[in-house]
Amino acid sequence: METQDLYYAVIAYAAASNNLCLFTGAGFSKAITDNNALSWEDLLKKVCDNSELLAIKDALFSSEKAKPDLEIAAHIINIELNQHKKDIYSEIASIINDINLSSHFEEENNAIHNFLKKIEKLKVITTNYDMLFEKLATAAKESYVSIAEGQPIFGDSANIEVYHIHGHIDWPQYMIVTVDDYFKFMSKESYFSRKLSTLLYESTVVFLGYSLEDHNLKRIINDYKISSQTDNVQSNLFFVSRYPIDQHIKAYYENSYGIQVIDNTETENFFKKTNEHLKDTSEAVKHLGEIVKSYLDDGKNCPNEYLQYDNLSFINIINAFTLQRKSIKNEDVINLIKDIVSKKIDLAKNAEASQKQGQYETLASWLIYLSRSFDIEKTELKDTFLKVAYDSLSNPFAYNRWKNEFPTIKPSNREIIVNYINGQLEEKSKENTNFSEQHVYFASNLKENFFP
């Protein structure tokens, strides 16, 4: 299974478990409005045009002059509007209120509608001022509740909860627009700041419609990074980009911020792919809950039939622990992983000739998934993992999987794997025993390919 398919499997599992949170930005609104929604800069320019503040517009946005940060530009525009007994909040609300969903997203059976119908619960965090996600929910005939600063918070149950952390157009006086608004928002402890921290830590979060360079995005995910690294839990943040992104940049964001990138993907295609993975996930979630419960509560081992063919079985078990925010340092998690890997090795060894390749490839996928998700060196799983990974790397059925996926795993794990390979090569070379030509070839070939 390719890396991005694994990501979709994690996202689908979270959706089926009522634990998915979508974090939407301006690009999401543009995607569902035939590009009629405005970027932040274009929105400020439109405010200037509507109020005939052409001199201010030229001063702030001319390509021949240095441009201030957009929050500062908004503050300057608001000062000028105040002199005309207007304010930027009402002007923005008036502009956005005229923007509607494209007709395609008001029809039945589009990808987002199908997604909303498949799941029971969804949380949406947005920095957008518009109410477009609420319109999506209405078109899909799903219940929703909108929550924003200054607005009464109701306890009514709804399928979809939409958190407007920068406010929305129905309550424009509370929108976060100017630089002063942002400073106040970032400095005060509020319901929203606490809720945001909780959702990021406890949910699987997908960012849609943002740039990786977005300052707000970096601040939010950096705050999450600090808490997740402390607990050594699996990263549960995903970033969807409509543009291709170089593997080196993906690796940087994954290792620096704990965010995993799905690139070259339009918004609607993201929902189509998620829907495909959701087809069988709901039943798997129920079955998996029983397996994990029996292991933790009754001491029963994971059944072989669940591990034999399903490439997602191991990944879904890790997802189950992740949703419980259990660290890989947790003794139960370590013991279950060891039990599963041991069983998979036996299944591969005892498989019929026609099935051996599939078993060994799947085992390699599981090990790569672990080494992409956790810092193995910091856990008691390290010794077991390295031994099994070394054998897997030397297996002709698994080697190509390792070769193709090796650049995607964490640098710290690449380092300990290669150090282990070097140590084994030196030791076996001295002993000159039980060290086949095939073993030498595959281990050495890996070292030469990635660490010349």
Side-chain angles (χ1 to χ4, degrees):
M1 180 175 288
E2 298 297 326
T3 300
Q4 294 206 357
D5 281 328
L6 289 176
Y7 292 166
Y8 280 111
V10 174
I11 293 166
Y13 185 91
S17 304
N18 300 327
N19 202 57
L20 182 66
C21 177
L22 301 181
F23 206 127
T24 63
F28 178 81
S29 292
K30 293 176 79 68
I32 60 175
T33 61
D34 286 335
N35 222 33
N36 288 323
L38 302 175
S39 68
W40 184 208
E41 181 173 335
D42 288 339
L43 182 60
L44 295 180
K45 289 178 180 178
K46 182 75 171 175
V47 170
C48 291
D49 289 338
N50 287 357
S51 298
E52 298 184 351
L53 302 180
L54 303 184
I56 291 290
K57 178 182 176 181
D58 180 66
L60 296 176
F61 305 112
S62 171
S63 59
E64 299 177 357
K65 301 175 183 177
K67 296 181 182 180
D69 289 342
L70 294 177
E71 295 84 0
I72 296 174
H75 190 94
I76 294 170
I77 293 169
N78 193 44
I79 292 173
E80 188 69 21
L81 286 169
N82 289 165
Q83 296 180 15
H84 298 82
K85 297 184 179 180
K86 296 181 180 180
D87 65 79
I88 196 169
Y89 310 98
S90 299
E91 295 298 312
I92 286 175
S94 176
I95 293 169
I96 292 177
N97 193 52
D98 291 335
I99 298 172
N100 294 305
L101 294 174
S102 67
S103 58
H104 169 63
F105 289 103
E106 293 180 336
E107 299 169 356
E108 292 187 7
N109 295 323
N110 67 71
I112 298 181
H113 283 201
N114 289 338
F115 171 78
L116 295 178
K117 291 179 183 299
K118 286 176 184 289
I119 61 177
E120 295 180 8
K121 293 284 185 181
L122 176 69
K123 291 180 174 61
V124 180
I125 302 173
T126 183
T127 50
N128 298 333
Y129 307 127
D130 60 61
M131 306 290 284
L132 291 172
F133 209 101
E134 287 85 345
K135 291 182 179 181
L136 283 172
T138 299
K141 299 179 181 178
E142 298 294 328
S143 62
Y144 70 85
V145 59
S146 298
I147 304 166
E149 190 75 39
Q151 181 177 336
I153 299 174
F154 301 102
D156 297 342
S157 177
N159 297 98
I160 303 166
E161 297 174 5
V162 186
Y163 295 86
H164 290 267
I165 60 174
H166 288 172
H168 61 61
I169 58 175
D170 284 1
W171 295 67
Q173 66 270 33
Y174 292 103
M175 294 193 314
I176 310 299
V177 178
T178 70
V179 65
D180 280 359
D181 297 333
Y182 277 94
F183 279 136
K184 291 175 184 176
F185 172 74
M186 289 186 289
S187 62
K188 72 177 180 179
E189 178 75 8
S190 67
Y191 168 81
F192 275 94
S193 62
R194 294 191 298 272
K195 188 67 176 179
L196 181 59
S197 296
T198 300
L199 288 175
L200 286 174
Y201 189 72
E202 295 182 351
S203 306
T204 295
V205 182
V206 178
F207 292 92
L208 292 165
Y210 286 94
S211 162
L212 280 173
E213 300 305 313
D214 188 283
H215 294 303
N216 286 323
L217 176 65
K218 286 183 178 179
R219 178 180 61 81
I220 290 166
I221 61 181
N222 192 58
D223 289 344
Y224 165 82
K225 169 190 170 183
I226 295 171
S227 61
S228 64
Q229 284 188 339
T230 300
D231 291 344
N232 201 16
V233 295
Q234 182 184 13
S235 173
N236 60 342
L237 305 182
F238 296 88
F239 177 89
V240 179
S241 169
R242 62 184 300 197
Y243 304 107
I245 296 178
D246 183 80
Q247 179 59 45
H248 295 88
I249 298 174
K250 291 181 186 179
Y252 166 76
Y253 278 95
E254 182 166 350
N255 292 302
S256 298
Y257 297 103
I259 190 165
Q260 299 165 102
V261 177
I262 300 173
D263 66 339
N264 205 24
T265 303
E266 298 285 350
T267 295
E268 188 164 11
N269 286 336
F270 165 79
F271 285 100
K272 286 180 180 177
K273 288 284 290 183
T274 303
N275 287 339
E276 290 173 8
H277 282 79
L278 268 170
K279 288 179 181 177
D280 302 316
T281 303
S282 296
E283 189 61 33
V285 166
K286 179 182 177 182
H287 181 48
L288 186 59
E290 295 170 356
I291 290 174
V292 173
K293 182 178 184 302
S294 67
Y295 182 87
L296 294 179
D297 297 345
D298 307 325
K300 296 180 180 178
N301 292 332
C302 193
N304 280 9
E305 59 269 21
Y306 185 65
L307 304 175
Q308 190 159 10
Y309 299 112
D310 188 356
N311 192 36
L312 291 177
S313 56
F314 175 72
I315 294 164
N316 281 339
I317 287 173
I318 298 299
N319 291 341
F321 280 114
T322 298
L323 293 183
Q324 298 175 32
R325 305 313 289 163
K326 286 187 179 293
S327 167
I328 196 173
K329 294 179 179 179
N330 182 285
E331 185 178 357
D332 289 331
V333 176
I334 291 174
N335 289 337
L336 181 55
I337 290 173
K338 287 181 178 179
D339 177 59
I340 290 171
V341 169
S342 176
K343 280 188 167 63
K344 192 64 174 177
I345 291 171
D346 289 341
L347 287 168
K349 287 180 178 178
N350 298 321
E352 296 179 5
S354 61
Q355 298 175 354
K356 277 188 179 293
Q357 181 170 347
Q359 294 292 341
Y360 280 114
E361 284 183 345
T362 300
L363 175 61
S365 294
W366 293 358
L367 296 171
I368 291 166
Y369 183 76
L370 273 179
S371 56
R372 184 186 291 131
S373 303
F374 303 101
D375 288 320
I376 304 296
E377 188 173 22
K378 299 178 181 179
T379 74
E380 294 181 9
L381 192 63
K382 177 183 175 182
D383 292 342
T384 300
F385 170 83
L386 287 174
K387 183 180 183 307
V388 176
Y390 177 68
D391 290 339
S392 178
L393 281 161
S394 309
N395 186 290
F397 295 131
Y399 173 72
N400 283 334
R401 180 60 58 88
W402 278 100
K403 179 180 177 181
N404 293 334
E405 299 289 336
F406 203 74
T408 70
I409 70 178
K410 289 182 177 294
S412 59
N413 292 330
R414 292 205 301 264
E415 183 177 358
I416 63 172
I417 290 171
V418 169
N419 288 341
Y420 188 83
I421 288 173
N422 288 336
Q424 289 297 306
L425 286 174
E426 290 175 8
E427 182 179 332
K428 297 294 183 182
S429 179
K430 292 175 183 177
E431 295 176 359
N432 198 28
T433 56
N434 299 322
F435 199 56
S436 68
E437 291 182 11
Q438 184 185 73
H439 210 154
V440 174
Y441 171 77
F442 284 106
S444 299
N445 200 27
L446 178 86
K447 184 175 67 172
E448 291 169 2
N449 279 336
F450 294 104
F451 298 89

